[in-house]
Amino acid sequence: METSAPAKVILFGEHAVVYGEPAIAVAINLRTYVKIKKSEEYRVNGYPMSDKYHSYIKNAIKLCWDGEPLDIQTKSEVPSASGMGSSASITVAMLTALLAMKDELKEEKIAKLGFEVEYRTQGSASPIDTSTVTHGKGILVHREKKDHFLWKVEKGELKWYIHHIEVPSLKLVVGFSGIKGSTKDMVNKVRRFYNWNSFARDVIRDIGKITMEAIEPLQDEDYERIGELMNEDNKLLTILGVNHPMLKRMINASLKHSYGAKLTGAGGGGSIIALTDEQDEVAKAIEEVGGKAYKVEISKDGFRIE
Ligand code: PMV
């Protein structure tokens, strides 16, 4: 059984979404592949499965597999801890394989279990990453229900509705800093700030407002406005303390040829995204300051049986 799932980039709303604010993300054309066969013991890429190195895979198995041990091979085009959702991508590819083997493959089930795996593994998470890589295209996560929501999830007092959102064929460049950012550490850092400081709570709400403001320009293909909103979002994320000097360098380098640029994902390392008509120039500018550039497109596909 071979399956795959895409990576994603968050266009607007990272961190704020953990507190119930809206977020918008798109699946991108870099994928993680998983191959599974029954075996005598659990092995991942030839090594015994471990809590430390294979926590997402292990939790996926815990949640939905009680069959024979498995031999698991993974292959990924997505660098780990890069802010491109490598953990969501491996989780969803893995769940797709497990559910397919049980003959229980349903899109909503993959998305719900995917969120649960991330939540358990990280101790805190929103459904933005796992729903985007499950469903593909553009996803809006919002605490209010709009027409045609795909599914909903509740955690304590928080409730998120997952929707598809129309997005134009954005030309994006991802700049990976090469510095691994820990989502768990960054989410905890923001949580401490949020719990102690009403100013941080205002910043989180302002990020939510920017996300809502971005919906119309995304539907109207108003790239100038989308870029402005990305720049504003990036300023607020910087105030939250999740930016990094290397990310700032890549953002400044990209801005010469972009509508806008911002960090994407948890930050503290990881990646930036730039929206541009000149992908080659932006990629060159990112590499000149020491980043690794990926010219990406939106992936229509979410999870897939290969
Ligand atoms: O860095 P990533 O790709 O894991 O994205 C994390 C996004 C956060 O909003 C910071 C956390 C979350 O679960 O929504």
Side-chain angles (χ1 to χ4, degrees):
M1 168 70 55
E2 187 170 358
T3 60
S4 73
K8 63 89 223 242
V9 290
I10 298 179
L11 298 180
F12 295 99
E14 49 272 272
H15 286 291
V17 68
V18 175
Y19 303 91
E21 295 295 331
I24 299 171
V26 290
I28 57 172
N29 59 335
L30 298 173
R31 300 185 75 84
T32 302
Y33 298 84
V34 164
K35 222 188 229 174
I36 285 185
K37 57 177 195 277
K38 295 189 177 163
S39 169
E40 312 249 289
E41 55 170 349
Y42 279 104
R43 292 185 86 78
V44 182
N45 297 329
Y47 295 96
M49 186 165 72
S50 83
D51 282 336
K52 188 168 175 200
Y53 299 110
H54 313 120
S55 51
Y56 291 93
I57 291 176
K58 216 170 167 182
N59 277 331
I61 289 170
K62 228 186 247 171
L63 265 180
C64 81
W65 184 252
D66 52 12
E68 287 163 58
L70 301 166
D71 182 81
I72 301 150
Q73 297 287 331
T74 69
K75 195 174 72 190
S76 191
E77 298 160 353
V78 194
S80 68
S82 64
M84 287 191 258
S86 59
S87 51
S89 187
I90 183 87
T91 299
V92 166
M94 186 68 204
L95 287 168
T96 303
L98 295 175
L99 291 172
M101 289 207 297
K102 291 189 349 178
D103 223 3
E104 289 176 19
L105 198 63
K106 283 210 182 78
E107 188 161 332
E108 183 177 326
K109 191 162 183 182
I110 298 173
K112 283 186 167 165
L113 284 169
F115 168 63
E116 204 52 50
V117 169
E118 274 221 327
Y119 196 90
R120 288 188 189 190
T121 314
Q122 292 170 192
S124 176
S126 79
I128 187 75
D129 284 18
T130 38
S131 46
T132 306
V133 310
T134 303
H135 302 299
K137 296 182 257 182
I139 289 289
L140 165 72
V141 168
H142 196 285
R143 68 175 151 239
E144 279 155 35
K145 164 166 64 172
K146 303 195 174 296
D147 290 346
H148 309 303
F149 71 96
L150 295 163
W151 54 281
K152 77 167 185 195
V153 57
E154 284 176 72
K155 269 286 167 203
E157 290 170 4
L158 291 174
K159 191 191 284 173
W160 294 275
Y161 290 92
I162 319 299
H163 311 79
H164 263 310
I165 179 174
E166 281 300 319
V167 283
S169 52
L170 302 170
K171 283 192 191 139
L172 295 167
V173 181
V174 178
F176 176 39
S177 61
I179 302 158
K180 297 196 180 231
S182 155
T183 303
K184 188 174 176 178
D185 291 352
M186 287 297 117
V187 168
N188 286 339
K189 182 177 179 183
V190 173
R191 187 171 295 286
R192 285 194 293 277
F193 192 23
Y194 182 91
N195 287 343
W196 277 56
N197 196 317
S198 68
F199 174 64
R201 296 193 279 278
D202 290 343
V203 173
I204 292 283
R205 268 191 294 276
D206 287 346
I207 292 177
K209 281 186 203 146
I210 288 179
T211 304
M212 292 313 289
E213 264 183 63
I215 294 175
E216 221 175 273
L218 276 169
Q219 283 163 350
D220 295 347
E221 303 187 26
D222 181 350
Y223 298 116
E224 301 273 351
R225 183 67 188 138
I226 300 167
E228 276 170 22
L229 290 167
M230 286 169 72
N231 294 339
E232 278 180 42
D233 195 359
N234 189 63
K235 279 187 203 145
L236 296 176
L237 289 165
T238 306
I239 295 171
L240 286 183
V242 296
N243 217 321
H244 184 282
M246 183 55 191
L247 299 182
K248 290 182 189 169
R249 231 171 282 148
M250 290 193 291
I251 287 171
N252 289 338
S254 317
L255 281 175
K256 283 174 218 145
H257 302 282
S258 306
Y259 294 106
K262 63 182 274 290
L263 74 84
T264 188
S271 298
I272 64 137
I273 46 169
L275 176 63
T276 180
D277 287 333
E278 301 167 43
Q279 278 180 314
D280 289 336
E281 282 77 359
V282 173
K284 196 163 155 245
I286 287 172
E287 304 231 324
E288 269 168 14
V289 297
K292 169 129 183 65
Y294 297 81
K295 293 179 266 179
V296 299
E297 284 164 27
I298 295 176
S299 166
K300 288 197 176 65
D301 287 351
F303 72 92
R304 217 157 64 190
I305 306 267
E306 293 296 331

